[in-house]
Amino acid sequence: MDLTLTDEQRLLYDQISRFATDELNDPDGSAAGERAFPSARWQKAGEMRLQGLPVPEEYGGAGLDPLSTAIALEALGYGCRDGGLVFAICAHLLACVVPIWKHGTDEQREKVLPGMCNGSRIAVNGMTEPGTGSDAFGMKTHATKHGGGYVINGTKTFSSNGPIADLAVVYASTDRDKGYHGGITAFLIEKNTDGFRTGQVFQKMGLHSCPIGELVLDNVYVSESAVIGKVGAGAAIFAESMDWERACLVASHIGTIEWLLQHAVEYARTRKQSGQTISKFQAVSHRIVDIKVRLEAGRFLTYKAASGLNRPRTASMDASIAKLFVSESLVTSAIDTLRVFGGYGLMEDYGIERIVRDSIAGIIYSGTSDIQRNIIARWLGLL
Ligand SMILES: Cc1cc2nc3c(=O)[nH]c(=O)nc-3n(C[C@H](O)[C@H](O)[C@H](O)COP(=O)(O)OP(=O)(O)OC[C@H]3O[C@@H](n4cnc5c(N)ncnc54)[C@H](O)[C@@H]3O)c2cc1C
């Protein structure tokens, strides 16, 4: 497999990493104010159509193929030091924009995609519930047929962008007997619909600028036109969006690991202890070499997974392999970089402690590492 970027892909990477570096960071690179959602930067990202990278231009997107989408997100992860903003963009794009683009009606696409792609609207994906995380399809949220539409009741949790979102992609059970196969339906719901509100808002470890909370649906009535795809097709729609999320979100991690590597090398070559640069200590150089090896292996797995998104046969396994390896690699590489920096690694000015905090969530969201192993085991015929 040839992983050489085309001239267009190289240009795309350079353009987005420069934009992210210049426009999406605090001038001093500090973590100050990191708890607030950066609305102005979200809108700037929208002007670059980062929220609509793979969406056809007729719906306001950038019309990129899946691999180029991953390369653009890698550049974003390299340039933008606000992991919360990168995650907010990815959650919106991969778990909300993608299912609407792929499965929405023409009317839904025309109505919501342009605003979702240009940064004027923020979306949330509601799948997880207080009692069902890894076992997502055991959900209690139910949509009951009523007149020409559905009445939906339930509570979703850990919904990224939930507290600030304008619209939601919500999964609900429409036939409890059918369960996963035909019993789950995806709905597109405007946040200002009667009975739909934000519940508890959580303060979490890392990714601070991406707010997260509950979505409460209390007798929310939607017409049939709110169904995304077919009634009962929700599980397949969710699974496909998770393939996109797993393959492309970790592309942003690859960009972050590249940033960590560059900073670890630079620091090790200048910091002196015992009369020599710390790069001469094998304990330090080998630690940095391990970051490089993870970066190269992770990039290969990510590009392979992203290239395969249009080939559904093995897309899920490749996406899970990439997600498992890269999310774990980001945690290890962030902590390894912190070790290279010694005490300075813990100081906010260096930006590394923030990446350590931001990285941990990656081994939980989009399915924990245990769940990725389960998916891969299933593909191997072990379960
Ligand atoms: C930062 C962040 C953002 C998120 N954003 C969203 C979002 O936008 N929308 C949304 O719907 N959800 C979101 N989530 C929820 C996320 O998908 C769930 O947290 C995740 O799937 C795990 O579910 P849980 O937290 O209920 O843990 P549990 O499922 O209760 O798991 C607890 C532990 O048991 C293990 N475990 C559970 N089942 C199995 C099994 N079958 N085999 C092996 N081990 C198992 C898990 O690996 C874990 O170690 C987000 C979570 C985080 C942390």
Side-chain angles (χ1 to χ4, degrees):
M1 188 181 175
D2 183 9
L3 290 183
T4 317
L5 301 194
T6 62
D7 288 347
E8 287 99 53
Q9 288 165 338
R10 171 56 52 202
L11 199 66
L12 176 74
Y13 183 95
D14 290 346
Q15 186 192 16
I16 293 181
S17 65
R18 210 174 317 113
F19 162 77
T21 305
D22 295 345
E23 304 286 344
L24 302 182
N25 293 321
D26 289 348
D28 62 356
S30 78
E34 67 172 286
R35 281 191 186 270
F37 176 72
S39 306
R41 289 176 189 162
W42 171 274
Q43 276 158 21
K44 277 187 184 166
E47 285 162 23
M48 293 288 284
R49 289 179 294 174
L50 295 186
Q51 288 92 323
L53 290 167
V55 175
E57 291 177 28
E58 62 178 302
Y59 296 118
L64 298 183
D65 60 73
L67 176 59
S68 301
T69 297
I71 290 165
L73 292 175
E74 180 183 345
L76 176 67
Y78 175 78
C80 179
R81 298 281 47 82
D82 181 349
L85 175 59
V86 174
F87 181 68
I89 290 171
C90 287
H92 165 95
L93 166 63
L94 303 166
C96 303
V97 170
V98 164
I100 296 167
W101 157 48
K102 291 267 177 184
H103 301 281
T105 59
D106 285 346
E107 190 191 334
Q108 287 169 339
R109 289 179 181 143
E110 280 160 18
K111 186 172 165 208
V112 300
L113 282 180
M116 292 174 81
C117 294
N118 72 16
S120 52
R121 305 199 81 196
I122 304 172
V124 52
N125 160 52
M127 169 54 98
T128 305
E129 298 185 0
T132 54
S134 300
D135 179 24
F137 295 106
M139 67 178 65
K140 287 209 171 102
T141 298
H142 191 71
T144 312
K145 196 95 181 71
H146 184 85
Y150 290 85
V151 175
I152 309 177
N153 279 289
T155 299
K156 298 293 179 179
T157 197
F158 299 155
S159 308
S160 301
N161 297 334
I164 48 160
D166 308 296
L167 71 168
V169 174
V170 171
Y171 294 87
S173 153
T174 37
D175 187 336
R176 292 210 191 281
D177 295 337
K178 287 187 181 162
Y180 179 88
H181 296 288
I184 307 290
T185 301
F187 293 91
L188 174 59
I189 311 179
E190 294 284 339
K191 194 74 177 297
N192 59 8
T193 308
D194 282 350
F196 191 21
R197 64 179 172 83
T198 302
Q200 184 179 357
V201 176
F202 301 101
Q203 297 304 326
K204 63 184 172 331
M205 172 191 187
L207 303 177
H208 285 156
S209 59
C210 175
I212 190 167
E214 288 182 335
L215 301 174
V216 179
L217 298 106
D218 185 8
N219 282 322
V220 172
Y221 176 79
V222 291
S223 70
E224 264 175 16
S225 64
V227 171
I228 303 173
K230 292 194 170 62
V231 174
I237 291 172
F238 180 73
E240 185 189 38
S241 75
M242 283 301 102
D243 289 347
W244 275 78
E245 184 161 294
R246 287 168 189 151
C248 292
L249 210 164
V250 297
S252 73
H253 296 346
I254 292 294
T256 307
I257 298 173
E258 174 95 58
W259 186 92
L260 289 166
L261 176 68
Q262 284 179 5
H263 284 73
V265 168
E266 198 180 298
Y267 188 79
R269 293 176 67 183
T270 50
R271 173 74 172 169
K272 284 192 174 155
Q273 288 295 296
S274 308
Q276 58 180 352
T277 61
I278 60 169
S279 63
K280 303 289 181 211
F281 300 122
Q282 201 176 57
V284 173
S285 65
H286 282 193
R287 190 168 281 135
I288 297 174
V289 166
D290 286 349
I291 299 175
K292 173 70 174 167
V293 173
R294 280 183 224 114
L295 173 65
E296 295 300 325
R299 183 178 280 131
F300 178 82
L301 293 174
T302 301
Y303 286 6
K304 181 169 185 253
S307 312
L309 283 169
N310 285 339
R311 295 192 295 275
R313 211 176 63 76
T314 54
S316 295
M317 181 171 68
D318 289 343
S320 283
I321 292 172
K323 159 67 165 68
L324 172 62
F325 184 82
V326 179
S327 61
E328 293 284 350
S329 292
L330 176 61
V331 174
T332 315
S333 302
I335 294 172
D336 276 354
T337 305
L338 186 144
R339 289 183 208 271
V340 169
F341 274 68
Y344 292 101
L346 281 89
M347 303 305 141
E348 288 186 357
D349 292 357
Y350 290 79
I352 292 154
E353 58 83 35
R354 183 176 185 177
I355 298 178
V356 172
R357 284 185 286 112
D358 288 349
S359 71
I360 306 292
I363 60 175
I364 304 294
Y365 59 62
S366 317
T368 67
S369 292
D370 301 324
I371 294 305
Q372 306 312 320
R373 287 190 172 88
N374 286 354
I375 294 169
I376 299 161
R378 217 170 289 128
W379 276 86
L380 295 175
L382 297 170
L383 301 179

PDB file of all heavy atoms in Angstrom, residues 84-114:
ATOM      1  N   GLY A  84     -10.314  19.896  23.118  1.00  0.00           N
ATOM      2  CA  GLY A  84     -11.767  19.928  23.251  1.00  0.00           C
ATOM      3  C   GLY A  84     -12.431  20.407  21.973  1.00  0.00           C
ATOM      4  O   GLY A  84     -13.442  19.848  21.529  1.00  0.00           O
ATOM      5  N   LEU A  85     -11.844  21.435  21.338  1.00  0.00           N
ATOM      6  CA  LEU A  85     -12.412  21.941  20.086  1.00  0.00           C
ATOM      7  C   LEU A  85     -12.281  20.887  18.978  1.00  0.00           C
ATOM      8  O   LEU A  85     -13.219  20.648  18.222  1.00  0.00           O
ATOM      9  CB  LEU A  85     -11.712  23.246  19.677  1.00  0.00           C
ATOM     10  CG  LEU A  85     -12.128  23.829  18.326  1.00  0.00           C
ATOM     11  CD1 LEU A  85     -13.625  24.137  18.277  1.00  0.00           C
ATOM     12  CD2 LEU A  85     -11.315  25.086  17.999  1.00  0.00           C
ATOM     13  N   VAL A  86     -11.107  20.254  18.904  1.00  0.00           N
ATOM     14  CA  VAL A  86     -10.915  19.211  17.882  1.00  0.00           C
ATOM     15  C   VAL A  86     -11.956  18.105  18.081  1.00  0.00           C
ATOM     16  O   VAL A  86     -12.604  17.648  17.125  1.00  0.00           O
ATOM     17  CB  VAL A  86      -9.484  18.615  17.973  1.00  0.00           C
ATOM     18  CG1 VAL A  86      -9.328  17.435  17.011  1.00  0.00           C
ATOM     19  CG2 VAL A  86      -8.441  19.690  17.671  1.00  0.00           C
ATOM     20  N   PHE A  87     -12.161  17.719  19.349  1.00  0.00           N
ATOM     21  CA  PHE A  87     -13.121  16.644  19.623  1.00  0.00           C
ATOM     22  C   PHE A  87     -14.550  17.091  19.302  1.00  0.00           C
ATOM     23  O   PHE A  87     -15.339  16.330  18.732  1.00  0.00           O
ATOM     24  CB  PHE A  87     -13.010  16.202  21.089  1.00  0.00           C
ATOM     25  CG  PHE A  87     -13.953  15.093  21.435  1.00  0.00           C
ATOM     26  CD1 PHE A  87     -13.794  13.823  20.894  1.00  0.00           C
ATOM     27  CD2 PHE A  87     -15.031  15.316  22.279  1.00  0.00           C
ATOM     28  CE1 PHE A  87     -14.689  12.794  21.198  1.00  0.00           C
ATOM     29  CE2 PHE A  87     -15.920  14.299  22.593  1.00  0.00           C
ATOM     30  CZ  PHE A  87     -15.746  13.040  22.049  1.00  0.00           C
ATOM     31  N   ALA A  88     -14.884  18.346  19.648  1.00  0.00           N
ATOM     32  CA  ALA A  88     -16.237  18.851  19.365  1.00  0.00           C
ATOM     33  C   ALA A  88     -16.510  18.814  17.861  1.00  0.00           C
ATOM     34  O   ALA A  88     -17.597  18.422  17.418  1.00  0.00           O
ATOM     35  CB  ALA A  88     -16.382  20.277  19.896  1.00  0.00           C
ATOM     36  N   ILE A  89     -15.509  19.215  17.062  1.00  0.00           N
ATOM     37  CA  ILE A  89     -15.666  19.197  15.598  1.00  0.00           C
ATOM     38  C   ILE A  89     -15.849  17.761  15.113  1.00  0.00           C
ATOM     39  O   ILE A  89     -16.737  17.461  14.316  1.00  0.00           O
ATOM     40  CB  ILE A  89     -14.440  19.862  14.915  1.00  0.00           C
ATOM     41  CG1 ILE A  89     -14.445  21.367  15.184  1.00  0.00           C
ATOM     42  CG2 ILE A  89     -14.419  19.574  13.416  1.00  0.00           C
ATOM     43  CD1 ILE A  89     -13.177  22.106  14.743  1.00  0.00           C
ATOM     44  N   CYS A  90     -15.011  16.857  15.625  1.00  0.00           N
ATOM     45  CA  CYS A  90     -15.072  15.464  15.169  1.00  0.00           C
ATOM     46  C   CYS A  90     -16.398  14.809  15.563  1.00  0.00           C
ATOM     47  O   CYS A  90     -17.003  14.082  14.767  1.00  0.00           O
ATOM     48  CB  CYS A  90     -13.901  14.667  15.748  1.00  0.00           C
ATOM     49  SG  CYS A  90     -12.329  15.072  14.978  1.00  0.00           S
ATOM     50  N   ALA A  91     -16.866  15.046  16.803  1.00  0.00           N
ATOM     51  CA  ALA A  91     -18.123  14.421  17.250  1.00  0.00           C
ATOM     52  C   ALA A  91     -19.284  14.920  16.394  1.00  0.00           C
ATOM     53  O   ALA A  91     -20.147  14.146  15.969  1.00  0.00           O
ATOM     54  CB  ALA A  91     -18.362  14.750  18.731  1.00  0.00           C
ATOM     55  N   HIS A  92     -19.302  16.207  16.126  1.00  0.00           N
ATOM     56  CA  HIS A  92     -20.340  16.823  15.286  1.00  0.00           C
ATOM     57  C   HIS A  92     -20.296  16.242  13.869  1.00  0.00           C
ATOM     58  O   HIS A  92     -21.306  15.801  13.324  1.00  0.00           O
ATOM     59  CB  HIS A  92     -20.076  18.334  15.283  1.00  0.00           C
ATOM     60  CG  HIS A  92     -20.786  19.131  14.238  1.00  0.00           C
ATOM     61  ND1 HIS A  92     -21.975  19.775  14.461  1.00  0.00           N
ATOM     62  CD2 HIS A  92     -20.453  19.411  12.948  1.00  0.00           C
ATOM     63  CE1 HIS A  92     -22.354  20.413  13.366  1.00  0.00           C
ATOM     64  NE2 HIS A  92     -21.444  20.202  12.432  1.00  0.00           N
ATOM     65  N   LEU A  93     -19.078  16.229  13.303  1.00  0.00           N
ATOM     66  CA  LEU A  93     -18.928  15.803  11.907  1.00  0.00           C
ATOM     67  C   LEU A  93     -19.194  14.303  11.730  1.00  0.00           C
ATOM     68  O   LEU A  93     -19.971  13.886  10.871  1.00  0.00           O
ATOM     69  CB  LEU A  93     -17.505  16.137  11.422  1.00  0.00           C
ATOM     70  CG  LEU A  93     -17.046  15.488  10.112  1.00  0.00           C
ATOM     71  CD1 LEU A  93     -17.903  15.939   8.942  1.00  0.00           C
ATOM     72  CD2 LEU A  93     -15.582  15.817   9.827  1.00  0.00           C
ATOM     73  N   LEU A  94     -18.532  13.491  12.566  1.00  0.00           N
ATOM     74  CA  LEU A  94     -18.504  12.056  12.272  1.00  0.00           C
ATOM     75  C   LEU A  94     -19.736  11.320  12.795  1.00  0.00           C
ATOM     76  O   LEU A  94     -20.175  10.337  12.196  1.00  0.00           O
ATOM     77  CB  LEU A  94     -17.204  11.462  12.835  1.00  0.00           C
ATOM     78  CG  LEU A  94     -15.947  12.163  12.256  1.00  0.00           C
ATOM     79  CD1 LEU A  94     -14.707  11.818  13.065  1.00  0.00           C
ATOM     80  CD2 LEU A  94     -15.752  11.814  10.783  1.00  0.00           C
ATOM     81  N   ALA A  95     -20.313  11.805  13.914  1.00  0.00           N
ATOM     82  CA  ALA A  95     -21.463  11.082  14.485  1.00  0.00           C
ATOM     83  C   ALA A  95     -22.796  11.763  14.165  1.00  0.00           C
ATOM     84  O   ALA A  95     -23.846  11.190  14.474  1.00  0.00           O
ATOM     85  CB  ALA A  95     -21.297  10.960  16.007  1.00  0.00           C
ATOM     86  N   CYS A  96     -22.753  12.951  13.565  1.00  0.00           N
ATOM     87  CA  CYS A  96     -24.018  13.657  13.261  1.00  0.00           C
ATOM     88  C   CYS A  96     -24.121  14.012  11.775  1.00  0.00           C
ATOM     89  O   CYS A  96     -25.077  13.635  11.103  1.00  0.00           O
ATOM     90  CB  CYS A  96     -24.139  14.928  14.107  1.00  0.00           C
ATOM     91  SG  CYS A  96     -24.049  14.627  15.877  1.00  0.00           S
ATOM     92  N   VAL A  97     -23.108  14.734  11.259  1.00  0.00           N
ATOM     93  CA  VAL A  97     -23.154  15.136   9.847  1.00  0.00           C
ATOM     94  C   VAL A  97     -23.133  13.889   8.944  1.00  0.00           C
ATOM     95  O   VAL A  97     -23.942  13.773   8.012  1.00  0.00           O
ATOM     96  CB  VAL A  97     -21.963  16.070   9.509  1.00  0.00           C
ATOM     97  CG1 VAL A  97     -21.856  16.293   8.011  1.00  0.00           C
ATOM     98  CG2 VAL A  97     -22.111  17.400  10.241  1.00  0.00           C
ATOM     99  N   VAL A  98     -22.228  12.957   9.247  1.00  0.00           N
ATOM    100  CA  VAL A  98     -22.072  11.782   8.357  1.00  0.00           C
ATOM    101  C   VAL A  98     -23.380  10.980   8.233  1.00  0.00           C
ATOM    102  O   VAL A  98     -23.814  10.693   7.111  1.00  0.00           O
ATOM    103  CB  VAL A  98     -20.877  10.897   8.802  1.00  0.00           C
ATOM    104  CG1 VAL A  98     -20.938   9.515   8.156  1.00  0.00           C
ATOM    105  CG2 VAL A  98     -19.556  11.587   8.439  1.00  0.00           C
ATOM    106  N   PRO A  99     -24.059  10.610   9.340  1.00  0.00           N
ATOM    107  CA  PRO A  99     -25.302   9.844   9.149  1.00  0.00           C
ATOM    108  C   PRO A  99     -26.390  10.608   8.394  1.00  0.00           C
ATOM    109  O   PRO A  99     -27.153   9.995   7.636  1.00  0.00           O
ATOM    110  CB  PRO A  99     -25.755   9.488  10.572  1.00  0.00           C
ATOM    111  CG  PRO A  99     -24.887  10.235  11.502  1.00  0.00           C
ATOM    112  CD  PRO A  99     -23.662  10.658  10.751  1.00  0.00           C
ATOM    113  N   ILE A 100     -26.441  11.945   8.574  1.00  0.00           N
ATOM    114  CA  ILE A 100     -27.469  12.714   7.840  1.00  0.00           C
ATOM    115  C   ILE A 100     -27.110  12.763   6.356  1.00  0.00           C
ATOM    116  O   ILE A 100     -27.945  12.553   5.478  1.00  0.00           O
ATOM    117  CB  ILE A 100     -27.621  14.134   8.431  1.00  0.00           C
ATOM    118  CG1 ILE A 100     -28.138  14.044   9.864  1.00  0.00           C
ATOM    119  CG2 ILE A 100     -28.567  14.973   7.574  1.00  0.00           C
ATOM    120  CD1 ILE A 100     -28.034  15.340  10.652  1.00  0.00           C
ATOM    121  N   TRP A 101     -25.829  13.022   6.090  1.00  0.00           N
ATOM    122  CA  TRP A 101     -25.366  13.043   4.688  1.00  0.00           C
ATOM    123  C   TRP A 101     -25.595  11.682   4.009  1.00  0.00           C
ATOM    124  O   TRP A 101     -26.098  11.603   2.897  1.00  0.00           O
ATOM    125  CB  TRP A 101     -23.883  13.436   4.661  1.00  0.00           C
ATOM    126  CG  TRP A 101     -23.132  12.991   3.434  1.00  0.00           C
ATOM    127  CD1 TRP A 101     -23.518  13.130   2.130  1.00  0.00           C
ATOM    128  CD2 TRP A 101     -21.869  12.316   3.409  1.00  0.00           C
ATOM    129  NE1 TRP A 101     -22.564  12.583   1.296  1.00  0.00           N
ATOM    130  CE2 TRP A 101     -21.545  12.083   2.047  1.00  0.00           C
ATOM    131  CE3 TRP A 101     -20.974  11.910   4.393  1.00  0.00           C
ATOM    132  CZ2 TRP A 101     -20.365  11.440   1.655  1.00  0.00           C
ATOM    133  CZ3 TRP A 101     -19.797  11.281   4.004  1.00  0.00           C
ATOM    134  CH2 TRP A 101     -19.501  11.039   2.660  1.00  0.00           C
ATOM    135  N   LYS A 102     -25.267  10.606   4.733  1.00  0.00           N
ATOM    136  CA  LYS A 102     -25.343   9.268   4.116  1.00  0.00           C
ATOM    137  C   LYS A 102     -26.776   8.752   4.020  1.00  0.00           C
ATOM    138  O   LYS A 102     -27.111   8.032   3.085  1.00  0.00           O
ATOM    139  CB  LYS A 102     -24.526   8.268   4.952  1.00  0.00           C
ATOM    140  CG  LYS A 102     -23.035   8.481   4.904  1.00  0.00           C
ATOM    141  CD  LYS A 102     -22.463   7.619   3.814  1.00  0.00           C
ATOM    142  CE  LYS A 102     -20.993   7.806   3.643  1.00  0.00           C
ATOM    143  NZ  LYS A 102     -20.484   7.020   2.519  1.00  0.00           N
ATOM    144  N   HIS A 103     -27.624   9.065   5.017  1.00  0.00           N
ATOM    145  CA  HIS A 103     -28.933   8.396   5.099  1.00  0.00           C
ATOM    146  C   HIS A 103     -30.125   9.336   5.160  1.00  0.00           C
ATOM    147  O   HIS A 103     -31.261   8.873   5.125  1.00  0.00           O
ATOM    148  CB  HIS A 103     -28.963   7.466   6.328  1.00  0.00           C
ATOM    149  CG  HIS A 103     -27.898   6.432   6.273  1.00  0.00           C
ATOM    150  ND1 HIS A 103     -28.014   5.297   5.497  1.00  0.00           N
ATOM    151  CD2 HIS A 103     -26.673   6.377   6.855  1.00  0.00           C
ATOM    152  CE1 HIS A 103     -26.905   4.586   5.613  1.00  0.00           C
ATOM    153  NE2 HIS A 103     -26.073   5.217   6.428  1.00  0.00           N
ATOM    154  N   GLY A 104     -29.871  10.646   5.289  1.00  0.00           N
ATOM    155  CA  GLY A 104     -30.992  11.582   5.396  1.00  0.00           C
ATOM    156  C   GLY A 104     -31.760  11.684   4.087  1.00  0.00           C
ATOM    157  O   GLY A 104     -31.264  11.318   3.016  1.00  0.00           O
ATOM    158  N   THR A 105     -32.986  12.186   4.183  1.00  0.00           N
ATOM    159  CA  THR A 105     -33.766  12.462   2.970  1.00  0.00           C
ATOM    160  C   THR A 105     -33.183  13.720   2.318  1.00  0.00           C
ATOM    161  O   THR A 105     -32.463  14.492   2.970  1.00  0.00           O
ATOM    162  CB  THR A 105     -35.239  12.743   3.333  1.00  0.00           C
ATOM    163  OG1 THR A 105     -35.261  13.870   4.223  1.00  0.00           O
ATOM    164  CG2 THR A 105     -35.896  11.555   4.011  1.00  0.00           C
ATOM    165  N   ASP A 106     -33.539  13.946   1.063  1.00  0.00           N
ATOM    166  CA  ASP A 106     -33.071  15.169   0.396  1.00  0.00           C
ATOM    167  C   ASP A 106     -33.501  16.386   1.185  1.00  0.00           C
ATOM    168  O   ASP A 106     -32.737  17.360   1.334  1.00  0.00           O
ATOM    169  CB  ASP A 106     -33.637  15.250  -1.027  1.00  0.00           C
ATOM    170  CG  ASP A 106     -32.913  14.284  -1.954  1.00  0.00           C
ATOM    171  OD1 ASP A 106     -31.839  13.797  -1.550  1.00  0.00           O
ATOM    172  OD2 ASP A 106     -33.442  14.002  -3.046  1.00  0.00           O
ATOM    173  N   GLU A 107     -34.731  16.326   1.709  1.00  0.00           N
ATOM    174  CA  GLU A 107     -35.254  17.463   2.478  1.00  0.00           C
ATOM    175  C   GLU A 107     -34.395  17.707   3.729  1.00  0.00           C
ATOM    176  O   GLU A 107     -34.041  18.852   4.031  1.00  0.00           O
ATOM    177  CB  GLU A 107     -36.701  17.148   2.868  1.00  0.00           C
ATOM    178  CG  GLU A 107     -37.439  18.316   3.440  1.00  0.00           C
ATOM    179  CD  GLU A 107     -38.778  17.894   4.049  1.00  0.00           C
ATOM    180  OE1 GLU A 107     -39.343  16.866   3.626  1.00  0.00           O
ATOM    181  OE2 GLU A 107     -39.209  18.591   4.990  1.00  0.00           O
ATOM    182  N   GLN A 108     -34.076  16.626   4.466  1.00  0.00           N
ATOM    183  CA  GLN A 108     -33.230  16.790   5.675  1.00  0.00           C
ATOM    184  C   GLN A 108     -31.872  17.356   5.297  1.00  0.00           C
ATOM    185  O   GLN A 108     -31.351  18.273   5.946  1.00  0.00           O
ATOM    186  CB  GLN A 108     -33.057  15.441   6.379  1.00  0.00           C
ATOM    187  CG  GLN A 108     -34.297  14.957   7.101  1.00  0.00           C
ATOM    188  CD  GLN A 108     -34.160  13.501   7.550  1.00  0.00           C
ATOM    189  OE1 GLN A 108     -33.350  12.739   7.021  1.00  0.00           O
ATOM    190  NE2 GLN A 108     -34.970  13.115   8.524  1.00  0.00           N
ATOM    191  N   ARG A 109     -31.279  16.796   4.243  1.00  0.00           N
ATOM    192  CA  ARG A 109     -29.936  17.250   3.836  1.00  0.00           C
ATOM    193  C   ARG A 109     -29.953  18.728   3.485  1.00  0.00           C
ATOM    194  O   ARG A 109     -29.089  19.489   3.924  1.00  0.00           O
ATOM    195  CB  ARG A 109     -29.465  16.460   2.620  1.00  0.00           C
ATOM    196  CG  ARG A 109     -29.134  15.021   2.924  1.00  0.00           C
ATOM    197  CD  ARG A 109     -28.714  14.347   1.633  1.00  0.00           C
ATOM    198  NE  ARG A 109     -28.407  12.958   1.841  1.00  0.00           N
ATOM    199  CZ  ARG A 109     -28.702  11.997   0.973  1.00  0.00           C
ATOM    200  NH1 ARG A 109     -29.317  12.288  -0.156  1.00  0.00           N
ATOM    201  NH2 ARG A 109     -28.372  10.759   1.228  1.00  0.00           N
ATOM    202  N   GLU A 110     -30.929  19.104   2.648  1.00  0.00           N
ATOM    203  CA  GLU A 110     -30.974  20.504   2.208  1.00  0.00           C
ATOM    204  C   GLU A 110     -31.230  21.445   3.377  1.00  0.00           C
ATOM    205  O   GLU A 110     -30.695  22.548   3.435  1.00  0.00           O
ATOM    206  CB  GLU A 110     -32.067  20.684   1.140  1.00  0.00           C
ATOM    207  CG  GLU A 110     -31.594  20.219  -0.222  1.00  0.00           C
ATOM    208  CD  GLU A 110     -32.742  19.918  -1.178  1.00  0.00           C
ATOM    209  OE1 GLU A 110     -33.876  20.381  -0.911  1.00  0.00           O
ATOM    210  OE2 GLU A 110     -32.509  19.202  -2.170  1.00  0.00           O
ATOM    211  N   LYS A 111     -32.029  20.968   4.331  1.00  0.00           N
ATOM    212  CA  LYS A 111     -32.411  21.851   5.449  1.00  0.00           C
ATOM    213  C   LYS A 111     -31.264  22.030   6.448  1.00  0.00           C
ATOM    214  O   LYS A 111     -31.009  23.143   6.891  1.00  0.00           O
ATOM    215  CB  LYS A 111     -33.625  21.236   6.156  1.00  0.00           C
ATOM    216  CG  LYS A 111     -34.207  22.112   7.222  1.00  0.00           C
ATOM    217  CD  LYS A 111     -35.507  21.556   7.765  1.00  0.00           C
ATOM    218  CE  LYS A 111     -35.856  22.261   9.066  1.00  0.00           C
ATOM    219  NZ  LYS A 111     -36.637  21.456   9.962  1.00  0.00           N
ATOM    220  N   VAL A 112     -30.582  20.949   6.813  1.00  0.00           N
ATOM    221  CA  VAL A 112     -29.641  21.098   7.933  1.00  0.00           C
ATOM    222  C   VAL A 112     -28.158  21.035   7.565  1.00  0.00           C
ATOM    223  O   VAL A 112     -27.321  21.587   8.291  1.00  0.00           O
ATOM    224  CB  VAL A 112     -29.930  20.070   9.067  1.00  0.00           C
ATOM    225  CG1 VAL A 112     -31.329  20.260   9.615  1.00  0.00           C
ATOM    226  CG2 VAL A 112     -29.692  18.637   8.617  1.00  0.00           C
ATOM    227  N   LEU A 113     -27.812  20.354   6.465  1.00  0.00           N
ATOM    228  CA  LEU A 113     -26.370  20.165   6.227  1.00  0.00           C
ATOM    229  C   LEU A 113     -25.597  21.469   5.968  1.00  0.00           C
ATOM    230  O   LEU A 113     -24.502  21.641   6.526  1.00  0.00           O
ATOM    231  CB  LEU A 113     -26.132  19.160   5.093  1.00  0.00           C
ATOM    232  CG  LEU A 113     -26.309  17.683   5.478  1.00  0.00           C
ATOM    233  CD1 LEU A 113     -26.052  16.779   4.273  1.00  0.00           C
ATOM    234  CD2 LEU A 113     -25.412  17.285   6.640  1.00  0.00           C
ATOM    235  N   PRO A 114     -26.122  22.403   5.163  1.00  0.00           N
ATOM    236  CA  PRO A 114     -25.314  23.615   4.938  1.00  0.00           C
ATOM    237  C   PRO A 114     -24.928  24.314   6.243  1.00  0.00           C
ATOM    238  O   PRO A 114     -23.764  24.679   6.440  1.00  0.00           O
ATOM    239  CB  PRO A 114     -26.227  24.481   4.062  1.00  0.00           C
ATOM    240  CG  PRO A 114     -27.079  23.488   3.332  1.00  0.00           C
ATOM    241  CD  PRO A 114     -27.339  22.386   4.326  1.00  0.00           C
TER     242      PRO A 114
END
